[in-house]
């Protein structure tokens, strides 16, 4: 009976901790998800809430060097939610994981406050070196569907990573990344608007082509002017 009481006590503590961490995140999501109808729906039905709450518990055991328990909780959460967060990852307050299926967050990842991740995002590492090998994400960063951020660099605060972008190098603050490999588009050094739009994002390739067309047009006009001056001289 004693063993049963201990098991029940552990389950009870786990449930209380889970509820506390989940409730802490509900208010952040209410203001950022247009599909959210009420707090109870978010608490019971949003897999992102469950994944983050489980991660907080797993991270506690990870810091206590109880790695097996931490990883067991992480794998249980992955099985239940489809979201894999290594217990060693450091996550700030207000992380919003929308839908979330297929998200992978590596061991040395650091995520700031009030970030948003969509499904199939990977915050991964490169190489087999020990130490810091996953990205550091600043505050208020939005990472679109299917984006991959790979390596031990920083994505600056207030930035947006477009859907399916593959980011392999540093991203300045207040920037937008688009493409494979991703290119940075600066927006007049102004803070990126804190919306969830993954579509209306500048295309750097199109912008470069437009610059080329403008330059070619200027050169054509200069050639026409030189030819006209030459004809007049003759």
């Amino acid at each position: 009976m004693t063993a049963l009481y201990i098991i029940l006590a552990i389950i009870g503590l786990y449930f209380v901790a889970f509820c506390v961490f989940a409730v802490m995140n509900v208010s952040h999501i209410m203001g950022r998800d247009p599909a959210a109808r009420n707090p109870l729906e978010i608490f019971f039905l949003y897999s992102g809430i469950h994944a983050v709450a489980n991660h907080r518990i797993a991270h506690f055991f990870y810091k206590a060097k109880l790695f097996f328990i931490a990883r067991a909780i992480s794998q249980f959460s992955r099985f239940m939610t489809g979201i894999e967060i290594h217990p060693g990852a450091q996550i700030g307050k207000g992380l919003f994981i929308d839908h979330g299926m297929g998200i992978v967050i590596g061991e040395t990842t650091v995520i700031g406050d009030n970030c948003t991740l969509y499904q199939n995002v990977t915050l991964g590492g490169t190489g087999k070196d020990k130490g810091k090998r996953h990205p550091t994400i600043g505050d208020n960063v939005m990472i679109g569907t299917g984006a991959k951020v790979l390596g031990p660099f920083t994505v600056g605060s207030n930035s947006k990573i477009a859907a399916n972008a593959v980011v392999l190098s540093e991203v300045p603050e207040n920037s937008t990344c688009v493409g494979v490999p991703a290119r940075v588009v600066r927006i007049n050094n102004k803070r990126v608007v804190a919306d969830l739009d993954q579509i209306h994002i500048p295309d750097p390739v199109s912008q470069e082509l437009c610059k080329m067309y403008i330059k070619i047009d200027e050169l054509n006009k200069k050639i026409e002017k030189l030819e006209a001056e030459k004809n007049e001289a003759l």
Side-chain angles (χ1 to χ4, degrees):
M1 288 297 293
T2 302
L4 178 61
Y5 289 144
I6 292 173
I7 292 171
L8 290 175
I10 292 171
I11 293 173
L13 288 172
Y14 182 94
F15 182 74
V16 169
F18 176 89
C19 290
V20 169
F21 289 130
V23 168
M24 287 170 61
N25 221 22
V26 167
S27 60
H28 292 282
I29 292 176
M30 274 298 295
R32 291 157 66 189
D33 184 6
R37 292 179 177 82
N38 57 71
L40 284 178
E41 180 185 43
I42 295 172
F43 179 83
F44 286 108
L45 303 179
Y46 275 46
S47 60
I49 283 274
H50 304 160
V52 173
N54 279 317
H55 169 73
R56 305 265 186 223
I57 300 170
H59 188 64
F60 169 81
F61 286 105
Y62 184 88
K63 291 199 296 184
K65 300 189 183 302
L66 299 171
F67 300 120
F68 184 86
I69 296 175
R71 200 60 189 265
I73 294 170
S74 172
Q75 291 302 300
F76 170 75
S77 178
R78 176 181 181 272
F79 176 77
M80 296 299 294
T81 65
I83 299 168
E84 181 171 344
I85 308 176
H86 193 285
Q90 300 176 47
I91 296 178
K93 65 182 181 181
L95 175 62
F96 175 28
I97 297 178
D98 195 9
H99 303 293
M101 180 63 70
I103 283 179
V104 177
I105 299 175
E107 179 181 16
T108 60
T109 300
V110 178
I111 300 176
D113 297 337
N114 303 315
C115 292
T116 301
L117 306 182
Y118 289 90
Q119 65 267 30
N120 291 319
V121 165
T122 299
L123 304 180
T126 56
K128 297 181 180 179
D129 296 335
K130 298 287 186 180
K132 177 67 172 169
R133 60 191 185 279
H134 299 94
T136 296
I137 310 298
D139 299 334
N140 307 308
V141 173
M142 188 280 285
I143 303 181
T145 303
K148 316 299 178 189
V149 185
L150 307 174
F153 51 83
T154 299
V155 175
S157 297
N158 309 313
S159 294
K160 296 175 75 175
I161 309 299
N164 293 317
V166 178
V167 185
L168 301 173
S169 58
E170 194 94 3
V171 177
E173 292 186 355
N174 309 315
S175 299
T176 300
C177 269
V178 184
V180 181
R183 299 185 184 185
V184 174
V185 178
R186 299 304 298 268
I187 307 179
N188 300 321
N189 293 319
K190 293 181 180 179
R191 184 175 184 272
V192 176
V193 177
D195 58 33
L196 305 180
D197 184 7
Q198 303 178 67
I199 299 172
H200 300 99
I201 293 175
D203 181 354
V205 175
S206 177
Q207 289 180 338
E208 291 300 319
L209 288 173
C210 287
K211 289 179 183 177
M212 288 176 61
Y213 290 144
I214 293 170
K215 192 66 177 178
I216 290 170
D217 187 54
E218 290 176 354
L219 291 172
N220 284 333
K221 288 179 179 178
K222 287 182 180 179
I223 291 171
E224 290 174 359
K225 183 180 179 181
L226 290 171
E227 288 179 345
E229 291 175 354
K230 181 180 179 181
N231 292 332
E232 288 177 2
L234 293 175

